[in-house]
Amino acid sequence: MIMLFIVPAVAQNVGEVPDIRSPGHGSDIPSKVSRIDIIYDIPEGDPYGYFVLFDTNPGHTFDGLNPDGEYVTRRSFTSPDFAEFQPDDVAYYFHIAAADGKGEIGPTVTAGPYRIDVVPPSDVGVTAPEVTSVRTVTLTLRAEGASEVHISNVAHGEGGRWKNLTGETEWELSPGRGEKTVYVRFSDLAGNTADTSAVITFVAGDVDGNVVLEPGDAVTALQILTGTATDKPNPDADVNGDGRIGTEEAVYILRRISDRTY
């Protein structure tokens, strides 16, 4: 809701300016659009023009003897481009007062706040395990000034989902072995974004889950096949997607060890 502050009139021939609104900005809602468009209706009386001003003071009043701001005759006004000041969620207010033909000024009416934010989140980062043999990993996220985060295995802002930013979140890596890039995009309430990423190496075929591919993994795979295994296997060691650990995994493990690759 727009806040309106009305100061007692100086002139008796013009009333307060009614129905002040911004087509592109909601009151008290952060926006990265750095110019504010304002329109308003004609007040009662006989207005010849309007004194208008944008600033950060919600209590501004036009002085009848030496009014500041600009004098316009139209029923619309656009703010300066506040982007040059790099506002980081700064509240701006629009002040207006009608003037009659004698130059006397009516009541000052103030609309706002209109919050402008053109500064993206800062100090962004993601901490993840460098090497893993499980598909679901824990990501530790940080970003100053961010409210949401988008995580993806594809690219920044693509193929993932937005969620409220928390300190930690679980994430499932893409299929296959080797290096996996997790793309992280942070956003603030105004929609400014900042990107970072993490690279994680996935060790396929790690049956015992110790993040090292070794002959014992092949032995355990064959024991599972024959029903003689005593330990519960890592389910993400399944390399061919059949939902089982067995011959294919044992062969894969021995080949990878021979090649010294993951």
Side-chain angles (χ1 to χ4, degrees):
M1 179 179 294
I2 294 178
M3 299 171 59
L4 298 178
F5 308 87
I6 301 173
V7 177
V10 175
Q12 301 298 318
N13 296 329
V14 288
E16 62 189 54
V17 178
D19 199 15
I20 303 170
R21 57 207 182 274
S22 172
H25 289 77
S27 178
D28 209 22
I29 300 174
S31 173
K32 62 181 179 180
V33 179
S34 55
R35 287 183 181 271
I36 306 170
D37 293 320
I38 295 289
I39 55 178
Y40 39 87
D41 288 346
I42 301 174
E44 294 182 357
D46 187 21
Y48 271 55
Y50 307 90
F51 287 97
V52 293
L53 176 69
F54 274 99
D55 66 11
T56 58
N57 175 18
H60 176 82
T61 303
F62 288 105
D63 185 337
L65 297 177
N66 187 25
D68 49 8
E70 296 184 43
Y71 181 79
V72 298
T73 56
R74 60 188 182 277
R75 290 193 294 114
S76 64
F77 188 71
T78 299
S79 74
D81 188 351
F82 292 120
E84 65 176 298
F85 305 111
Q86 288 293 292
D88 188 357
D89 200 1
V90 175
Y92 293 95
Y93 297 86
F94 174 71
H95 314 283
I96 184 169
D100 62 17
K102 299 178 181 179
E104 295 183 336
I105 300 175
T108 297
V109 183
T110 296
Y114 300 108
R115 294 163 60 185
I116 305 299
D117 184 352
V118 301
V119 179
S122 60
D123 191 26
V124 300
V126 54
T127 302
E130 294 183 3
V131 182
T132 184
S133 59
V134 294
R135 290 288 171 193
T136 301
V137 297
T138 299
L139 305 178
T140 302
L141 307 168
R142 71 174 188 276
E144 185 70 28
S147 58
E148 292 184 308
V149 62
H150 181 281
I151 306 174
S152 171
N153 290 323
V154 179
H156 287 116
E158 299 179 16
R161 60 182 183 270
W162 285 100
K163 60 182 294 185
N164 291 333
L165 176 60
T166 57
E168 287 188 348
T169 190
E170 301 295 305
W171 183 252
E172 185 173 342
L173 301 175
S174 60
R177 65 183 179 90
E179 288 190 347
K180 308 290 180 182
T181 300
V182 179
Y183 301 89
V184 181
R185 171 166 289 179
F186 297 97
S187 175
D188 61 19
L189 291 173
N192 302 296
T193 61
D195 297 337
T196 188
S197 61
V199 177
I200 304 171
T201 298
F202 182 81
V203 181
D206 179 26
V207 179
D208 61 12
N210 68 350
V211 201
V212 178
L213 208 58
E214 52 195 358
D217 290 304
V219 173
T220 303
L222 294 176
Q223 289 175 339
I224 293 170
L225 186 64
T226 59
T228 59
T230 58
D231 296 326
K232 185 177 180 180
N234 169 20
D236 291 330
D238 176 17
V239 298
N240 64 343
D242 64 357
R244 298 179 298 174
I245 305 296
T247 304
E248 291 81 0
E249 284 68 34
V251 172
Y252 172 87
I253 293 164
L254 294 175
R255 285 178 176 173
R256 294 283 76 78
I257 293 174
S258 175
D259 295 340
R260 288 182 170 81
T261 65
Y262 290 142

